[in-house]
């Protein structure tokens, strides 16, 4: 089954404690993205990757890092999380313009 | 810069009634337009897309949308809603990969659809 898998789905952490949200897709897509979803703000792109070892900033990259060492994986790294990074995070992949496949989301709370 | 406006934050519709969700976009060229649906606790799923050609496009789950260039709109419609259609709906406009971003999409803020029995 074609899917985008994110882990963890839920996480509560404390300010400053580094964390990684993993994302893996099994569709051989070249393009992958990370979004955050906040009430009243919709979805905002954090980072994207056009292919292995090619990443670039989206609209709200501050406080986040990504890497793309393999085609299927695109982890999101919060080096020093802060409360304003409390959000619902989505990973997505695509092979064609705009046709995104989304993961089920990772709800992160930073205390 | 491209932008998307979904004027209705919430819409309540009776089960079996027709539905229209509004979407207006701002974009300098011919846009790629999309509707996504997000069911509670789920990720977003693509409902339909418009790239070119016929301005009335059909999607999954019985939805359709009409592109009107003169009105910069791409409204989503369904003739008869079911309780399972209760969800958040997002309109998106894209420039394609050449416009920046792996997907180049700008999303609206969403419309929350409530279905009354």
């Amino acid at each position: 089954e074609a899917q985008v898998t994110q882990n963890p789905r839920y996480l509560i952490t404390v300010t400053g404690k580094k964390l990684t949200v993993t994302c893996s897709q099994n569709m051989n897509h070249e393009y992958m993205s990370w979004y955050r979803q906040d009430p009243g703000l919709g979805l905002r792109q954090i980072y994207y990757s056009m292919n292995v070892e090619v990443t670039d900033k989206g609209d709200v990259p501050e406080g986040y890092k990504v890497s793309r060492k393999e085609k299927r994986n695109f982890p999101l790294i919060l080096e020093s999380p802060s409360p304003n990074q409390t959000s619902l995070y989505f990973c997505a992949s695509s092979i064609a313009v705009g046709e995104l496949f989304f993961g089920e989301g990772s709800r992160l709370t930073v205390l | 810069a491209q932008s998307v406006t979904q004027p209705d934050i919430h819409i309540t519709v009776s089960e079996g009634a027709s539905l229209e969700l509004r979407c207006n976009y701002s974009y300098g060229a011919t846009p790629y337009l999309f509707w996504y649906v997000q069911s509670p606790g789920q990720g977003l799923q693509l409902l339909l897309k418009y790239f070119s050609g016929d301005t009335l496009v059909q999607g999954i789950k019985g939805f359709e949308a009409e592109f009107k260039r003169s009105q910069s709109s791409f409204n989503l419609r369904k003739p008869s809603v079911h309780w399972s259609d209760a969800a958040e709906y997002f309109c998106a406009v894209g420039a394609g990969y050449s416009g920046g971003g792996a997907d180049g999409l700008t999303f609206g803020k969403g419309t929350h659809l409530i279905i009354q029995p």
Side-chain angles (χ1 to χ4, degrees), chain A residues 3-17:
Chain A
Q3 58 186 2
V4 177
T5 303
Q6 298 178 224
N7 280 295
R9 294 287 313 280
Y10 301 91
L11 180 63
I12 300 174
T13 189
V14 296
T15 299
K17 186 175 182 181

Side-chain angles (χ1 to χ4, degrees), chain B residues 55-107:
Chain B
T55 57
L56 183 64
V57 293
Q58 303 297 320
I60 62 172
K61 305 185 181 189
F63 285 92
E64 66 179 26
E66 186 171 12
F67 170 57
K68 293 186 177 180
R69 184 187 302 275
S70 61
Q71 298 177 21
S72 297
S73 70
F74 188 57
N75 294 349
L76 182 71
R77 301 195 294 247
K78 186 170 185 178
S80 176
V81 298
H82 185 262
W83 64 267
S84 61
D85 293 323
E88 192 86 14
Y89 291 81
F90 293 93
C91 182
V93 62
Y97 298 114
S98 62
D103 41 75
L105 290 187
T106 297
F107 284 86

